[in-house]
Amino acid sequence: MKLIKYVLIAICLLNISYTLSTERELYVNNFNNILGSYHLETELLEFVKNHEINTLILYDLHKINKRFPLGDETKNGVLASFIVKAKVEYGIQKISASGESGDFFTNVIHPYNISRKNSKEKIDIYNLEYEYWDEESSSNKGYYCKSYLKDSYQKCNRENSFRFYIESLKIMRKLANEIDHPIQIEAYIGKFTEKEVQNISNHVDRLLIHAYVRTPQESFHYVKNRLNLLAGIDSKIKVSILYSSEMKFLGKWFSTQ
């Protein structure tokens, strides 16, 4: 399925103990090209069912919002129908919406959730993907500076990018508390310090850290230092490990299984 970039969250470590769960999750890239196409939606959902995936993390919702304004219940039915089909017919337990800022959840995702009355139509997880540790993106000419930081902070740097990240998580938590439907807050995280992750852990239910390696055997060594930092803060949040099926990572291994 060429329209989908598979990144499986195959291992969930509870409270930083090494207890494996059965959660299987999938990032869906190019979802804008899938939604509204019966053939592509069915192909995705059949893949999900065949591989016993129980959560979808959806990208491209900012593009979908331009086609089908997600805060407008008269126009967002195409997403609601997909979510219902995924949950009722294909065994999906949760739908996660990925975004880069608190404003995106305030202006797009949360209005969608409020507009839908059936719980089966609602998004269950608010997922922040903002790589504050990427020094280049947070620099004066970087994407995050141009898109988010330059109008709100005196300097574009990692420190202020991290502040933006935390502020976004606080906004997402506030939104989750405003709705009866249970919403989990989660965030993708790459390189971090102990002080940073201590702060982050106060605002999320789960962290997603990547193990972009070529073989499963490499994964624990790859994330060991970051897991030790998490263990050191005695966090009670869940931690999941991300694997990428891109060919430069686990793609070749997946193709032989």
Side-chain angles (χ1 to χ4, degrees):
M1 194 185 306
K2 295 182 180 179
L3 291 175
I4 301 171
K5 171 184 174 183
Y6 303 119
V7 182
L8 291 177
I9 304 171
I11 301 178
C12 180
L13 297 106
L14 304 179
N15 299 335
I16 317 304
S17 67
Y18 301 109
T19 302
L20 300 185
S21 82
T22 57
E23 295 181 17
R24 294 174 63 85
E25 307 190 18
L26 179 73
Y27 273 86
V28 183
N29 200 24
N30 292 323
F31 186 58
N32 182 49
N33 295 328
I34 296 171
L35 186 66
S37 165
Y38 174 82
H39 172 72
L40 294 177
E41 286 186 9
T42 302
E43 188 178 356
L44 167 62
L45 293 173
E46 288 292 340
F47 178 91
V48 164
K49 183 177 180 179
N50 292 339
H51 291 81
E52 299 180 348
I53 292 165
N54 48 43
T55 299
L56 294 180
I57 304 174
L58 305 179
Y59 277 157
D60 280 358
L61 292 173
H62 62 295
K63 295 179 181 178
I64 288 169
N65 185 55
K66 294 178 180 179
R67 294 170 56 204
F68 312 107
L70 293 181
D72 186 340
E73 64 180 330
T74 67
K75 298 178 180 178
N76 62 20
V78 63
L79 178 60
S81 296
F82 172 83
I83 293 175
V84 169
K85 182 164 61 174
K87 290 180 178 179
V88 174
E89 299 180 29
Y90 289 90
I92 290 296
Q93 297 172 10
K94 295 179 181 178
I95 296 290
S96 174
S98 183
E100 290 183 338
S101 70
D103 283 348
F104 178 72
F105 290 93
T106 298
N107 299 325
V108 179
I109 302 303
H110 199 61
Y112 166 83
N113 259 1
I114 292 174
S115 76
R116 308 312 302 185
K117 307 308 177 186
N118 182 348
S119 64
K120 294 291 186 182
E121 299 173 334
K122 293 182 183 290
I123 291 166
D124 310 286
I125 301 169
Y126 292 175
N127 173 291
L128 181 65
E129 184 159 331
Y130 177 96
E131 299 180 3
Y132 72 84
W133 56 91
D134 185 334
E135 303 280 356
E136 183 176 351
S137 294
S138 297
S139 67
N140 286 330
K141 295 183 180 180
Y143 168 72
Y144 290 144
C145 179
K146 295 176 181 178
S147 301
Y148 302 112
L149 302 178
K150 68 176 182 180
D151 294 330
S152 302
Y153 301 92
Q154 291 183 341
K155 294 182 178 180
C156 288
N157 54 29
R158 176 178 173 137
E159 181 181 1
N160 283 331
S161 214
F162 180 70
R163 285 176 57 196
F164 180 86
Y165 184 92
I166 293 297
E167 289 167 4
S168 293
L169 290 176
K170 289 179 179 179
I171 290 170
M172 292 159 65
R173 177 65 74 191
K174 181 176 181 294
L175 295 173
N177 291 338
E178 292 176 354
I179 189 171
D180 290 336
H181 185 74
I183 303 292
Q184 294 179 329
I185 304 300
E186 64 183 24
Y188 169 70
I189 190 170
K191 299 177 182 179
F192 53 85
T193 66
E194 183 173 339
K195 183 177 180 181
E196 286 171 347
V197 80
Q198 178 72 71
N199 192 348
I200 293 168
S201 69
N202 294 326
H203 305 291
V204 299
D205 301 301
R206 183 172 65 157
L207 283 178
L208 313 179
I209 62 176
H210 71 74
Y212 291 167
V213 294
R214 293 181 180 273
T215 67
Q217 290 78 12
E218 299 175 71
S219 60
F220 180 75
H221 177 74
Y222 186 87
V223 300
K224 182 180 179 181
N225 289 339
R226 283 175 287 169
L227 292 177
N228 285 338
L229 285 176
L230 286 162
I233 66 173
D234 192 28
S235 174
K236 303 303 180 183
I237 62 175
K238 293 183 178 181
V239 177
S240 289
I241 310 300
L242 279 65
Y243 295 96
S244 173
S245 69
E246 292 177 282
M247 294 307 291
K248 63 181 178 179
F249 298 120
L250 275 179
K252 291 183 179 179
W253 182 87
F254 279 129
S255 67
T256 64
Q257 303 306 304

